[in-house]
């Protein structure tokens, strides 16, 4: 399963992502806002666990927005929470 993540406080990145779905694709804003994985390690772990419960055996996330290295660290922390 693939998706998008914005794991740092980057309001502009979230707004840009939402606009890319609502404008060209006509998606409802409330639906578009639920698509990217956002938040800290605990919240990310919850989303990843929900994907697993729904049957995903692997998840790949594109890290959108700034601070790529920090986002990668948060994603690693979330994975660690799931494997502990």
């Amino acid at each position: 399963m693939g998706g998008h993540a914005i794991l740092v406080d980057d309001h502009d990145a979230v707004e840009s992502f939402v606009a890319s779905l609502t404008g060209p694709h006509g998606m409802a804003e409330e639906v578009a806002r639920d698509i990217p994985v956002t938040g800290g390690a605990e919240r990310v772990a919850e989303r990843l666990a929900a994907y697993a419960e729904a049957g995903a055996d692997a998840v790949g996330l594109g890290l959108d927005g700034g601070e790529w290295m920090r986002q990668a660290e948060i994603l690693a922390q979330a994975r660690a929470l799931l494997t502990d």
Side-chain angles (χ1 to χ4, degrees), residues 39-49 73-84:
E42 294 82 13
R43 181 170 169 153
V44 174
E46 289 172 4
R47 290 283 300 266
L48 295 175
E73 291 169 354
I74 293 168
L75 186 56
Q77 291 167 0
R79 185 177 184 273
L81 289 172
L82 293 172
T83 57
D84 286 346

Side-chain angles (χ1 to χ4, degrees), residues 7-21:
L7 307 181
V8 291
D9 187 17
D10 190 341
H11 178 76
D12 291 340
V14 173
E15 293 307 311
S16 176
F17 183 83
V18 169
S20 75
L21 297 176

Side-chain angles (χ1 to χ4, degrees), residues 13 41 58 64 71:
D64 298 321
Q71 292 193 72

Side-chain angles (χ1 to χ4, degrees), residues 14-69:
V14 173
E15 293 307 311
S16 176
F17 183 83
V18 169
S20 75
L21 297 176
T22 58
H25 301 289
M27 185 178 290
E29 183 175 342
E30 59 275 4
V31 173
R33 287 194 181 282
D34 286 339
I35 290 177
V37 175
T38 59
E42 294 82 13
R43 181 170 169 153
V44 174
E46 289 172 4
R47 290 283 300 266
L48 295 175
Y51 293 142
E53 289 174 20
D57 58 3
V59 177
L61 295 173
L63 301 176
D64 298 321
E67 299 183 59
W68 184 89
M69 186 62 79

